[in-house]
């Protein structure tokens, strides 16, 4: 369960996200849509404190993930991020072998026994449907994989740490239609298992995947959530005229 | 049709017909001249040098002020000086480059000051480093003319260049890797040593190889610091003569020293060509590790 309350994200003087409030129940998929530059990525990055890495970035408001306050004083960002998987628009496997990509973080987090490392590697690769494609070349560079395979490897790299939350920032937008469909059905299969927040520009995809929908818009010098709710209801019956036009494909 | 339009048409067709060729000729000639000059120097040195060149030349000590014998002691001094330089330069440049490229809370002013200082130092003529090394290491720190003083002076000379190339190598590592690492909760230490530095390694090594080349061919910084005694140094506090100093001395101060100067120059040249070849290879590997799509077009 993700509870976000009046979250604002600032870059220096600039407000990227203003007062965003959102609740995502456990095991559901929440799609975040909206035009470019309205703060979707910033919102996502604030949830696992990736904003800490950006000089001059600052947040306000509260974020609770499974009851735990993301910005609490006793929280270690590294520990927090370990329990929150993040998938980026551009697949970014490390320039290492497939095996090392998956095991680097596991080892860092204390898994040392070879059998456990191997079995978790296999399980993660099976979960993303990559096992049969790569089982004979686990020691080859991950960067030799195709774009779609790389993105699935990144997803495997995230879920091998057994997070409860997945944050996905346009995970399909750099992929060809077939690879994109593949990743999408993968996300579909994750429903119930992870709490997923997915940013997408593909409204049809949002409609197919999402239980819950949040529409971001740039309004009054800042990005904000202008409407949210049950995905089916919101698609069928949006209240906000801007949202209605956007969802009908006329704006944004 | 009047004559004016006809002229226009003529000139138009002239530039159309000869334009590209003319450009090719105009840009091609200087390129040829440069390549030709390099080829000439190369051929001259190798032609005069290789006739003198033999295994014995590399393994025997110089005699008669270098007119006879070989360059074995010179090679030993050169390697010792280079060794000192590398021992200092590799860790210092690595640490500084990491600090400059990876520090998160940065003061823009301080960074600019450091970078500008490095650029100025990198552009300093080597004789300035030679005089500084003499005053500071030889005289002030009482090292005298010694391998140690020479190596330290060379270290000062190549550090700025090496720091800058290493810093650029680290910066060239895509931020995507750092983001991925952070999102997995990897420590900065792991991120640096397991991901960022390995990815930057080929480009950093290329910078190091170029620095070695620069150190090997240095004369001015060494004459006043490591000296020009042709004996084999027995410790770091002995004076010793580097290859480039040897060439300079034979060519300028020793009548009849030219043949051996040529042979030494040929040796140095071959070493430098090999080093350059390595640098080119490493740079290409760097491109491949950071941008594997290049591999497919290969
Ligand atoms: N690192 C940064 N430093 C300063 N400003 C930033 C930074 N990242 C984003 N911004 C600004 O914050 C605003 C929101 O950006 P953000 O990337 O969150 O938008 P987005 O909704 O994800 O857009 P897109 O759909 O194009 O990915 C933009 O105006 C952007 O210029
Ligand atoms: Mg974005």
């Amino acid at each position: 369960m993700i509870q976000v309350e009046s979250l604002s994200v600032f870059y220096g003087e600039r407000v990227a996200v203003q007062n965003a409030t959102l609740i995502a129940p456990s095991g559901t998929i929440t799609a975040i849509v909206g035009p470019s530059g309205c703060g979707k990525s910033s919102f996502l990055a604030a949830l696992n404190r990736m904003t800490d890495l950006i000089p001059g970035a600052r947040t306000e408001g509260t974020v609770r993930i499974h009851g735990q306050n993301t910005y609490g004083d006793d929280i270690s960002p590294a520990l927090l991020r370990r329990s929150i998987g993040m998938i980026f628009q551009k697949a970014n496997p490390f320039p290492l072998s497939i095996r090392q990509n998956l095991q680097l973080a596991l080892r860092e987090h204390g898994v040392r026994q070879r059998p456990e490392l191997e079995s978790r590697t296999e399980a993660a690769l099976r979960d993303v449907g990559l096992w049969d494609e790569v089982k004979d070349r686990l020691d080859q560079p991950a960067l030799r994989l195709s774009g779609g395979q790389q993105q699935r490897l990144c997803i495997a790299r995230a879920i091998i740490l057994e997070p409860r939350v997945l944050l996905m920032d346009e995970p399909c937008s750099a992929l060809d239609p077939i690879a994109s469909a593949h990743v999408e059905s993968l996300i579909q299969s994750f429903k119930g298992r992870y709490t997923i927040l997915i940013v997408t520009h593909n409204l049809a995809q949002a409609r197919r995947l999402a239980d819950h929908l949040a529409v971001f818009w740039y309004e009054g010098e800042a990005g904000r959530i202008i409407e949210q709710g049950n995905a089916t209801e919101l698609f069928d019956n949006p209240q906000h005229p801007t949202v209605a036009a956007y969802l009908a494909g006329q704006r944004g | 049709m009047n004559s004016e339009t006809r002229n226009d048409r003529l000139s138009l067709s002239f530039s159309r017909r000869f334009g590209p060729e003319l450009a090719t000729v105009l840009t091609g000639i200087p390129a040829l001249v440069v390549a030709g000059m390099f080829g000439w120097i190369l051929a001259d040195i190798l032609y005069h040098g290789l006739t003198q060149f033999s295994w014995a030349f590399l393994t025997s000590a110089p005699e008669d002020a270098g007119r006879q014998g070989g360059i074995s002691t010179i090679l030993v001094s050169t390697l010792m000086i280079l060794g000192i330089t590398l021992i200092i330069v590799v860790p210092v440049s690595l640490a500084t480059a990491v600090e400059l490229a990876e520090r998160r809370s940065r003061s823009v002013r301080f960074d600019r000051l450091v970078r500008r200082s490095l650029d100025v130092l990198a552009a300093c003529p080597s004789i300035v480093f030679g005089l500084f090394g003499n005053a500071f290491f030889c005289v002030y720190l009482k090292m005298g003319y010694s391998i140690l003083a020479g190596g330290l002076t060379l270290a000062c000379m190549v550090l700025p260049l090496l720091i800058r190339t290493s810093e650029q190598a680290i910066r060239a590592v895509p931020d995507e890797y750092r983001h991925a690492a952070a999102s997995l909760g990897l420590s900065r230490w792991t991120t640096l040593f397991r991901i960022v530095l390995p990815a930057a390694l080929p480009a950093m090594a290329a910078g190091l190889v170029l620095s070695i080349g620069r150190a090997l061919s240095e004369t001015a910084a060494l004459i006043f610091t490591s000296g020009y005694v042709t004996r084999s140094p027995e410790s770091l506090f002995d004076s010793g003569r580097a290859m480039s100093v040897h060439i300079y001395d034979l060519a300028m101060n020793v009548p009849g020293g030219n043949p051996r100067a040529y042979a030494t120059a040929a040796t140095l040249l071959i070493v430098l060509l090999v080093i350059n070849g390595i640098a080119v290879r490493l740079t290409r590997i760097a491109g491949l590790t950071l941008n594997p799509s290049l591999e497919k077009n290969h």
Side-chain angles (χ1 to χ4, degrees):
Chain A
M1 170 117 127
I2 305 175
Q3 296 156 288
V4 183
E5 230 182 88
S6 14
L7 178 69
S8 301
V9 182
F10 306 86
Y11 297 112
E13 294 298 296
R14 205 191 154 121
V15 196
V17 179
Q18 174 91 40
N19 269 334
T21 296
L22 179 135
I23 291 182
S26 292
T28 61
I29 298 181
T30 302
I32 295 174
V33 299
S36 218
C38 62
K40 306 181 296 295
S41 300
S42 308
F43 176 78
L44 225 52
L47 301 188
N48 64 345
R49 294 184 60 168
M50 291 291 282
T51 39
D52 288 6
L53 306 188
I54 303 168
R58 187 165 59 80
T59 58
E60 273 173 17
T62 57
V63 178
R64 288 182 176 280
I65 292 180
H66 297 287
Q68 197 183 35
N69 183 356
T70 295
Y71 288 93
D73 293 333
D74 52 344
I75 292 289
S76 121
L79 231 60
L80 172 84
R81 294 190 193 120
R82 205 179 298 175
S83 64
I84 303 177
M86 189 166 214
I87 312 297
F88 301 83
Q89 172 172 11
K90 199 168 152 246
N92 54 2
F94 299 128
L96 304 169
S97 71
I98 296 173
R99 191 193 305 272
Q100 284 171 320
N101 259 283
L102 292 167
Q103 296 184 353
L104 186 62
L106 269 186
R107 283 176 194 277
E108 166 119 346
H109 301 326
V111 182
R112 292 275 146 73
Q113 257 68 47
R114 195 133 265 291
E116 184 179 359
L117 284 168
E118 294 302 319
S119 70
R120 282 177 74 168
T121 301
E122 178 175 345
L125 284 171
R126 281 193 193 282
D127 275 344
V128 299
L130 210 52
W131 176 250
D132 290 324
E133 290 162 58
V134 303
K135 62 171 184 253
D136 300 323
R137 46 180 173 140
L138 289 177
D139 290 312
Q140 284 186 16
L143 293 173
R144 293 242 178 94
L145 297 172
S146 74
Q149 288 174 323
Q150 287 189 15
Q151 190 62 300
R152 280 186 285 148
L153 179 68
C154 290
I155 297 175
R157 186 178 63 183
I159 63 175
I160 201 170
L161 297 178
E162 299 174 342
R164 289 151 86 190
V165 172
L166 288 180
L167 306 176
M168 307 181 138
D169 195 352
E170 305 185 42
C172 299
S173 66
L175 303 178
D176 69 79
I178 293 174
S180 168
H182 208 138
V183 171
E184 187 183 316
S185 60
L186 187 63
I187 298 170
Q188 188 86 54
S189 75
F190 284 166
K191 199 178 270 197
R193 209 170 130 191
Y194 304 104
T195 311
I196 298 179
L197 254 58
I198 176 174
V199 174
T200 176
H201 280 289
N202 183 338
L203 292 176
Q205 183 178 61
R207 192 188 267 268
R208 286 190 297 266
L209 285 174
D211 305 300
H212 189 86
L213 184 72
V215 183
F216 275 64
W217 209 266
Y218 188 76
E219 217 178 58
E221 310 277 287
R224 29 182 115 233
I225 302 181
I226 54 169
E227 192 168 2
Q228 59 177 313
N230 177 289
T232 327
E233 281 171 24
L234 191 51
F235 268 113
D236 291 343
N237 192 16
Q239 301 301 310
H240 200 296
T242 312
V243 175
Y246 176 69
L247 294 182
Q250 287 155 11
R251 285 187 67 173
Chain B
M1 185 187 291
N2 63 42
S3 63
E4 220 167 292
T5 54
R6 195 180 190 163
N7 260 344
D8 277 358
R9 196 169 291 173
L10 270 179
S11 69
L12 187 72
S13 74
F14 176 85
S15 75
R16 213 178 256 156
R17 198 171 298 162
F18 297 107
E21 283 85 349
L22 198 66
T24 312
V25 170
L26 282 180
T27 53
I29 287 178
L32 269 181
V33 169
V34 170
M37 261 159 47
F38 175 67
W40 184 29
I41 295 173
L42 196 69
D44 184 58
I45 290 179
L46 291 182
Y47 174 76
H48 289 97
L50 289 183
T51 48
Q52 307 277 321
F53 195 80
S54 66
W55 185 243
F57 176 71
L58 294 179
T59 53
S60 54
E63 290 158 25
D64 190 12
R67 288 185 200 90
Q68 295 299 318
I71 53 170
S72 67
T73 59
I74 311 290
L75 287 177
V76 170
S77 299
T78 308
L79 286 180
M80 284 173 73
I81 295 172
L82 192 62
I84 298 278
T85 306
L86 291 182
I87 287 172
I88 303 290
V89 130
V90 168
V92 172
S93 68
L94 193 64
T96 317
V98 167
E99 170 69 10
L100 281 177
E102 293 283 301
R103 191 153 38 88
R104 291 236 177 93
S105 59
R106 49 172 50 107
S107 136
V108 177
R109 270 240 194 99
F110 177 73
D111 280 14
R112 201 182 302 149
L113 183 72
V114 172
R115 284 208 186 88
R116 196 145 303 155
S117 317
L118 288 175
D119 286 345
V120 169
L121 281 177
C124 253
S126 53
I127 186 78
V128 173
F129 284 98
L131 291 176
F132 163 76
N134 181 273
F136 186 66
F137 296 120
C138 302
V139 178
Y140 185 72
L141 295 182
K142 300 195 174 65
M143 293 178 188
Y145 283 68
S146 63
I147 298 285
L148 187 61
L152 292 175
T153 307
L154 273 194
C156 295
M157 195 189 82
V158 297
L159 251 183
L161 185 74
L162 193 58
I163 291 174
R164 290 294 260 149
T165 49
S166 308
E167 184 200 347
Q168 270 148 21
I170 295 173
R171 277 186 197 281
V173 176
D175 266 343
E176 279 86 4
Y177 295 151
R178 298 183 180 89
H179 293 163
S183 78
L184 294 168
L186 297 182
S187 67
R188 293 191 58 193
W189 188 262
T190 310
T191 310
L192 185 64
F193 283 96
R194 296 301 308 277
I195 294 155
V196 175
L197 287 184
L201 194 62
M204 287 195 304
L208 180 65
V209 166
L210 286 177
S211 302
I212 293 177
R214 200 167 158 204
L216 275 180
S217 44
E218 186 47 48
T219 317
L222 290 179
I223 287 184
F224 305 120
T225 52
S226 59
Y228 30 81
V229 176
T230 54
R231 249 183 302 113
S232 189
E234 267 150 29
S235 82
L236 294 179
F237 298 98
D238 278 355
S239 170
R241 183 187 281 200
M243 271 165 105
S244 47
V245 176
H246 191 53
I247 298 170
Y248 170 78
D249 195 54
L250 283 180
M252 305 304 288
N253 303 335
V254 181
N258 265 351
R260 287 296 196 247
Y262 264 121
T264 315
T267 315
L268 188 55
L269 194 68
I270 290 168
V271 172
L272 290 178
L273 284 177
V274 169
I275 284 181
N276 251 305
I278 296 173
V280 170
R281 282 302 277 277
L282 289 175
T283 316
R284 185 164 311 146
I285 295 173
L288 283 184
T289 46
L290 294 181
N291 197 351
S293 56
L294 292 176
E295 201 174 17
K296 285 169 198 155
N297 308 333
H298 219 61

